[in-house]
Amino acid sequence: QVQLVESGGGLAQAGGSLRLSCAASGFTFSNYAMGWFRQAPGKEREFVASISWRGYVTNYADSVKGRLTVSRDNAKNTMYLQMNSLKPEDTATYYCAASGRNMWSGAAKYWGQGTQVTISS
């Protein structure tokens, strides 16, 4: 059974940091590109970042470049999102996703349940 479990969300102040984790099981994690998405209240889900199967290629939404960093540890079947210089507009539910390919293609094959991030001003 495929599972993607996000953790590390919570409440932080503007300018602060959080680190999200996504623990994967039920599929060969090291073969798949992974991504982070987020959805704020009243808005559509949006792409945040992606990372290729070995971690050599990363991509970011313009709104998070220079502040958020995606990484992965294939030995631990886990992807991370280091979030620095947080802003109130980063408030959202954050989801991790697995692609069906080793490079992110824009489509997710599996989704996690999400973790809430709230940034106070």
Side-chain angles (χ1 to χ4, degrees), residues 1-67:
Q1 180 183 1
V2 171
Q3 281 194 313
L4 294 173
V5 180
E6 302 93 338
S7 62
L11 177 65
Q13 290 187 333
S17 298
L18 285 173
R19 189 194 196 201
L20 306 184
S21 299
C22 172
S25 61
F27 66 99
T28 307
F29 176 79
S30 58
N31 284 356
Y32 286 176
M34 299 291 295
W36 285 100
F37 289 74
R38 67 187 182 186
Q39 187 168 19
K43 295 186 177 181
E44 294 187 353
R45 189 175 297 187
E46 65 174 359
F47 169 81
V48 174
S50 66
I51 186 166
S52 61
W53 62 313
R54 291 188 176 182
Y56 295 152
V57 179
T58 57
N59 288 290
Y60 298 91
D62 288 343
S63 59
V64 306
K65 282 180 180 177
R67 302 187 299 115

Side-chain angles (χ1 to χ4, degrees), residues 53-110:
W53 62 313
R54 291 188 176 182
Y56 295 152
V57 179
T58 57
N59 288 290
Y60 298 91
D62 288 343
S63 59
V64 306
K65 282 180 180 177
R67 302 187 299 115
L68 275 58
T69 303
V70 60
S71 62
R72 66 190 296 162
D73 185 338
N74 285 347
K76 295 182 178 180
N77 288 353
T78 302
M79 176 178 65
Y80 304 97
L81 186 67
Q82 179 65 43
M83 308 172 68
N84 297 329
S85 301
L86 286 163
K87 302 177 180 180
E89 50 263 45
D90 293 320
T91 295
T93 300
Y94 284 72
Y95 299 89
C96 71
S99 169
R101 303 181 178 185
N102 54 28
M103 298 295 289
W104 188 261
S105 61
K109 186 173 184 178
Y110 307 120

